[in-house]
Structures are given as C-alpha cells and as structure tokens.
Amino acid sequence: MAEASQSETGFEVDGLSPSRVERPASADELSRVIADANSAGEAVIPWGGGTRMSLGNTPERYDVAVDLTGISGIVEYEPADLTVVVSGGTRIAELQAVLGESGQRLDFDPPEPAAATIGGSLASNAVGPVRSNVGGVRDLAIGLEVVEADGAVTKSGGRVVKNVQGFDLVRLHIGALGTLGIITEVAFKVSPIPADTQTVAGWFDGLDAARETAMRIFNWSFQPEALAVLVGARALAVVQTLAGPGDGESEAVVILARVSGGFSAVRRQVDELTSLFGADMADGFDVLGGQDAEAAWAGSLPDAQTPPALSARATLKPTDAFAYASRLIGASNAVGAFGATIHVGTGTVLADWPGGDPEELAKTAAAAAMAAREFRCEAVFERYPSELKSEIDVWGNPGPAIDIMRRMKEQFDPKRTLNPGRFVGRI
Amino acid sequence: MTMNAFERLLFRLRDVVGERYVVHRPDALIVYEYDGSVDKHLPRAVVVPGTTQELALCVALCHEVGIAVVPRGSGTGLSGGAVPTEGTVQIVTSRLRSIIEVDAENRIAIVEPGVINADLSIAVESLGLYYVPDPSSQRACSIGGNVAENAGGPHCLAYGVTTNHVTGMEVALADGSMVWLGGEAREAPGYDLRGVFIGSEGTLGIATKIAVRLMPLPEMIRTMVAVFGSMDQASKSVSDIIAGGVVPAALEMMDRVTIDAVEPTYHPNYPAEAQAVLIIEVDGLRESVEDQSAAIEQLCRDNGVASYESSDDSERRAELWAARKGAIGAFGNLKPNYYLVDGVVPRTKLQEVLAKVAEIGAEMDLMIANVFHAGDGNLHPCILFDERIPGETERVLDAGGQILKLCVDAGGALSGEHGIGLEKQAYMPLVFTDDDMRSMARLGPAFATDDGFNPSKVFPVGEGSEAETGYSKTRRAGTSDVV
Ligand SMILES: Cc1cc2nc3c(=O)[nH]c(=O)nc-3n(C[C@H](O)[C@H](O)[C@H](O)COP(=O)(O)OP(=O)(O)OC[C@H]3O[C@@H](n4cnc5c(N)ncnc54)[C@H](O)[C@@H]3O)c2cc1C
C-alpha cells in the first residue's frame, strides 16, 4: 500500500508545503490516492523528478504531494518495432540507457535527464535541442495512460506507431501540467542511434548576421537533427571555450548545428556547414569533437546547479523568433547577464536571467511579454521571482480559446483536485 | 420543430449563401448521401458556403434551431465520417479553396479547408517546398478532411501524419463563433486544442482556416520496386528493414490479388511468379539515399527477392508508383465493390497477421486484396465483392470485423488513418473501456457542441443510457418532432 507520511519537507511549491506526501507504487495505488483526495476535497500536486516544479502559477491550494517516482520501469520494449512502453515515473536517463543497449534512443533530450521523469517532462512539455527541427516530444508519444481526478485509470492512443482510434487525448495531456490527469504510462516511437553525429559551431558578430545563416540552414533540403542559436551569456561562454578566454564580444552569437546519419552523409553535411560559415564570414567556426560538442550543447540549456531567477519561453515563426530575441537583448540592460537559445526549427526561444532585484526582473519580464505580443505570441515564464509570482499569470494570455480550456478542466476535474490554480488562466 | 420551421431555416440559409448553394431536393441530395465507405444516408439539406464567414453563420443558424451539422470536404472518407445521420444538414467546404498565404522563408502556409491536398504541394513546388502528408486520395481529398481524420499516406512513414504538420486552425464552433486553436507557431500556451481537434472526425467544429508546415523538397529521391515470390518473404523484408534501423520515406506493399487488379490497367509487368510487391522510396541527401538504398537492397536480396528495380528518374519513378497509387480504383477490374479495412499491427507481426487475414478470406470464401502502408504496419485488406448479391455486404462487414479483432489481438489498432466514424464505432470497446470512452466524450461539452456536429459517430450506439456512458448511444436525429 502507498505509504503516507506527515509534513515532509522537500515538496514545497512556491513556498507552500503539503500536509502529506503519498508514494504510490502503481497506477492502481495512485488511483486510490487520487480518488480519496478528490472525495475529501483535497488539492493534489503530482511530483516527478521535481526539476520543473517552478513552472506554473502559485497553487491555489496544496494538501497532498504525490511522488510518482515509484511508478517506474519499462513496461514493454520491442526493439524490432521501434516502440517502447514506459511507466510515467521512469527517469529519462534510465529509459535512454535501456534503449541504448539496443542501439536506439528516444529523440528527446531535455535538461537533467538523470532526475527528470518521463511523465513530468511530458506534462510540463519540456524541450531539448534534438529533433527541434522535426517536432517536440508530442510527436513521439503514441499512447498514454492517465489517472484522472476521480481515480479512473484511462488510456488513449495505442502502442503502434500509427493509430487514429477515438480522440487524441495523448496530445491533450502533454503540456497540460497534470491538470486533467496524471500520466502513468506512455508509449513512444523510438529511433535507431545514428551511425555518426557531428556538431559544427559558428560564431558571429550580432544576431542579424547569424540570423541569415541560420535561416539558410533551416531552409536547406536537409535538416540538422538540432539547430540552435545562442545569444548573450550562452554564446559568450561557448565562444570563450572555443576561441580562448578574452575572445568574443558581448555581441557574439553562436550557431550550433548537429548533423547525424550515415558517415558519408554526415561528412557531406559538415562540409556544407563549414563552407557556409566560411562564405557567410562567421567570425570563426569549428567542428566539435565529442566532449566539446557535449559542453557546447550543455551550454545551450540553463545550468541545473544555478537555476536562473527568471526564464521565459516563447514559440514563434522562426524569423519572428530572431526579431523577438533581439528585443529581449534590448530589454535586458537593467538586469545584466542574459542568455537565450533559439531552437530555429520550432521557433522556440528559451531566455533566462540569472538573478537580480525582483522588481527589476519583473519589469524585464513585462518587457519580454510585450515583445512577444508584438509577434502575436505569449511568453511563458517558466521561472519567475516567487515573491511576485501571485501578481501575474505566468502563462500569459491564452486568448479566446481559454473558454474551451476552462470547460475542459470542468469536464475532467470538476472539483479542481489536480494542481488547482497552477495552469493557464489559473485553471 | 415543424416542417415550417425547417423551411424557415432553409430560407435563412439561402439568405446567407444564395439560392443555388442550398440543396434540398431529394434527387439532388443523392450525391451527398455517401462517402468512400459502405454507409449511406440522405441529409435533410446541403449547404455550400462561399466564405468562412458564411460557413460560420450557417453553423449558427442550424444550431439555433437544434439541427445538427455534418461537415463534408471531398467525401473521400472511408469510415462514414461525412455520411449524414438522420435529420442532419450537411455543410460542404468545396467552395473554400483558396491558399490564403504562403510564407516561404518560414515554410508555413495558411489554407482554406476545401483546398485539395495535392493542390497545395503543386502550388508551392516552385518555391522548392511541399506538404508532406499524401493520402493516396490526395488528388481529391481536402485538407479540412485530412485534419478531421488525421490522415496519413505513403510518405508519412518517415515524416509523420497530418497532426505532425498542422500547427493550428481556425474553427467555427456550434454557436458560430470562430476561434484559433494553435496558430502559425509550433506551440501555444494552454491545452493543445489543436492536437485534440485533429482526428476528431468533424464532431467538434468545422475548420475554416488551417496553418500547415511545409518541407523543403529533398535533393534526391529513389524509388525501388522489389518483387517477391511469396507474401512471407515480402513481409519479412519489411520487418527486417525496420528492425535494421532504416526508416525509408515510404514502404508500401501489394499482394497477388492487387497485382491481378492493376496489371490490365497499369501494365507494371511484374514477373509471373510475383506474389507480393514492395514499393520503397528513400529521399534526402544523395549520400544517405545511396546508403539506405544499398542496405534495403541487401535485405531484399537476403529474403530472396525475385526482381528488383530502382530509379532516380522522376518519370520512371512515377511509372513505378502508378500501380500502387491506382490500385484501389483498379479493384473494379475484379469486382464491382470493395470494402477497405484499415487496421494497424506491430511491424514484427506483419507475417503472422497477413496469414490469418488470408485464412479468413479462404474460410468465408471472400476475395481479399492487400495494398497498404507496410512500413508502419498499417494494413488495408480490401474485401472485394458485389453488393447486388443479397447478404453479401453483411458477410463482408462480418469479415472486416474479424480482421479488426485480429489486429487488436496482435497489439495493434482499429484504425491507422481512416478513423472510426460510423464504420467502426461498434468496435471501439475492443480497445477502449467505458471509462476511456467517457473521457474522450468530454471533448464535446468542452467545445460546447451540444451534439451539434456529426452526432452519433465515433462512439458505439445502441446500449446503455447516455447518463451511464457519458456519450450518446442513440443515433440522434437532428430534430425529434419532425412533422
Ligand atoms: C482511393 C482512396 C485512397 C485513400 N487513401 C488514403 C490514405 O492513403 N491515407 C489516408 O489517411 N486516407 C486515405 N483515404 C481516406 C480519405 O481520403 C481521407 O480520410 C481524407 O482525409 C478525407 O478527406 P475528405 O476531404 O474527402 O473528407 P470527407 O470524406 O468529406 O470527410 C471526412 C471527415 O472529415 C470531416 N470534415 C471534413 N471537412 C472538415 C472540416 N473543414 N472541419 C471539420 N471536419 C471536417 C467530415 O465530417 C468527416 O467526418 C483514401 C480514400 C480513398 C477513396
């Protein structure tokens, strides 16, 4: 049976603590926990690896923390089918290790894979650089099992790579922050690990120069498996490692392109990239070996050890993503070091500000939100100074579709048991 | 509602779209009573709006008087999605065919729902772009219909189906209001209502504008045709290719019956011993095309391929594809009717399930042709028959049900791309519990449809009260008090 303990620490969300923590070991146990909480009118916050708990508005209520890491493991894996079924509490690194033994991988590499769980990463719609040109994790999940607010265990989708049977609730739950159900099992399509992978880095003076080159790569007939443009502090760190300390202007912008496939195809892509960087007069470029490549890609994500005080995520048309990023640079003068990564393929811009006076950060955030709106898009503040969080909706303004979203919540969780107040529009 | 009230509705609809675009004479309605499936039913009236605003107004007018609406694109659907149910008004998108915007640099297009799938790719070809999802019906089906069914196609193996290529859509809701779900950008905060709408089979609203991603045309395309002396060898080759980590752009299979059907029309001249044909395509960089095609050829040879041809020439490639693309139409060479069963199995189970499908055909004395998206395990057994023979349609549907059970028992799915509609609603409980379906049925109230779009489809009808199941179990008439 799930063990419950009184007043545990370590499960704080925005300064609030639960009155108890539940640790179910199966979907059935979770079902009982949730059904009980639901009938008692308690509010539940599901916990995976805890790497993205800063996401969301301040909870409206918080009674029960549910630690989902006990619902873990590979349920079914058929390498020859390129599909895997995995429990929601499984750590991403653990899944990748199992797939790796068969020469396969899930094309999903968000930060902190050793801690982050599959369920939590899906619920919070985490992103990583890989396959940012093709699609996010939404496009890899083919089936889902969730525990709903009344304790019902339901599934949607299937276990085969292609299925349209009934409505696509898989996509409904991905990115829903667990407000409609708690993800307990996921079926994914996986891919073979490519024979060869190389990263080419090019650095430029200013965003405009980099933009042109990056857009040219985006429009090539072949697509790197990851294409990121690093701005501000992120770029500087990479340039200084590659070109030596003291090098690199504060205006430096880095393009990282990772290509993969068979050896001859990779060689060709590396050649194309280096000659493009040469012709476009990058300040410098380099083909990165294993460790350097890893370090550079790690530098494209926020550092897990020293999480930023403010971070904003926005997804725009690729050209708008560059324009928005340059607005962010302008808006960041007051708070110093600022870094951003543009995933060119998806148009997602991840920007963060390491620290500073909360009031100044809030002003910067407001400027970022305004900048995003110029491009008819909303910035989501994945991190925000907690003392000021209750003053804003960190998800921005979802527009008229919010009516449908509210009714959706009402349908799935009428007593508002799951994560009340944390999602868009304080759903 | 009395007949008078219905006439008042027709009057108001005519006011919106013009006299000639409201069809209600029974003889004129007949063309709208069916789609590509076996079900048929006359709509009460058909409206063909000329603008998206007109369309939304028509939806609102019907909703006001409690008449449910059935959206229709090109009517090529294979699960009865566009077939009207009792008392409904059909709204057809065939006049909404403009490509509103193409943003070549960002590789995005916005189209009206009636745009024909192939027309979009043709329109952007000169920009070096194309729209990936390519149902075999692509010269006829609409992008709105593709969205509603989450359509796939031969080239969806490597690049994904409709939901992977549509970033958002403007939708007319039951009350006639219009709202964007998603947009031109790849994601938006909040629930992924875009993802939910795609594949909802016209039950939540009508897509009035659709934003899609376009892809750069590949540098090189190579088509290969591998002919085998047995189905087993061909299925094993498919499983080996996938297991070997090569995911071609397309991997299609045709069996002996299909070969017989296409031979007189397309003259592909397959060798006499041909029992199965694989049509395989790889695309991308020249180097990866060479690598992949070499690996594929080797696997086919290991499995005893009888003949093997490959071509990079666009004209020859079109010829190699012709028999596959025209296969379903060519079944008319063998029997007047076909019933296409769309099911999915894990790719490691192809051999086993295909053999059992053949057994069902033999036991029931039915001719079954297989032409399908083998690479993703998406079977399309086509049962060929003559509907004029009394009782034949029932036997065929019965065999179809048995095939679906086979797929589900093998760990597969009820549909890979054609949807549930009327055709498969009775089979939903094979895969889903009442709880699962109750959960899906919450989308209707969330979209405030009042059961006003495509009622009584997708979920099983007939048993249990609505209160128990959460979804309508009776074929709901648009009006209950028709005089
Ligand atoms: C020979 C042949 C080959 C085929 N090959 C394939 C294939 O390879 N892959 C594949 O996936 N399918 C295939 N199909 C099936 C069919 O073509 C697809 O399902 C297609 O997406 C249907 O489009 P349509 O415009 O004809 O839609 P319709 O048949 O008119 O309607 C289909 C559904 O969409 C709804 N709908 C239509 N327009 C809208 C809208 N604007 N908003 C909301 N709902 C709407 C309807 O209510 C209905 O439920 C094939 C069919 C045929 C006849």
Side-chain angles (χ1 to χ4, degrees), chain B residues 78-92:
Chain B
L78 291 169
S79 57
V83 174
T85 41
E86 184 60 34
T88 51
V89 166
Q90 205 173 45
I91 296 188
V92 187

Side-chain angles (χ1 to χ4, degrees), chain B residues 71 73-77 81 136-137 142 145-146 148-149 151-152 201 205 207 417-418 454:
Chain B
S74 304
T76 68
S136 308
S137 51
S142 70
N146 295 166
E149 301 289 3
E201 304 194 18
E417 54 181 23
H418 299 163
N454 231 348

Side-chain angles (χ1 to χ4, degrees), chain A residues 162, chain B residues 35-36 55 70-78 80-83 91 93 113-114 134-138 140-154 197 200-203 205-208 210 324-325 328-329 338 340 373 378 380 416-419 454 457:
Chain A
K162 199 172 169 192
Chain B
D35 62 358
L55 184 150
V70 175
R72 180 186 180 94
S74 304
T76 68
L78 291 169
V83 174
I91 296 188
T93 62
D134 61 339
S136 308
S137 51
Q138 71 179 145
C141 65
S142 70
I143 294 188
N146 295 166
V147 164
E149 301 289 3
N150 192 14
F197 188 86
S200 62
E201 304 194 18
T203 62
I206 304 186
T208 48
I210 299 160
R324 164 63 186 97
K325 293 208 166 159
I328 290 176
Y338 66 82
L340 193 163
H373 314 304
N378 190 182
H380 285 353
E417 54 181 23
H418 299 163
N454 231 348
K457 291 192 183 165

Side-chain angles (χ1 to χ4, degrees), chain A residues 312-314 316 319-329 349 368 371-372 375 379:
Chain A
R313 168 171 168 175
L316 311 89
T319 48
D320 287 349
F322 284 92
Y324 162 72
S326 78
R327 296 275 207 294
L328 292 185
I329 297 172
V349 182
F375 303 99

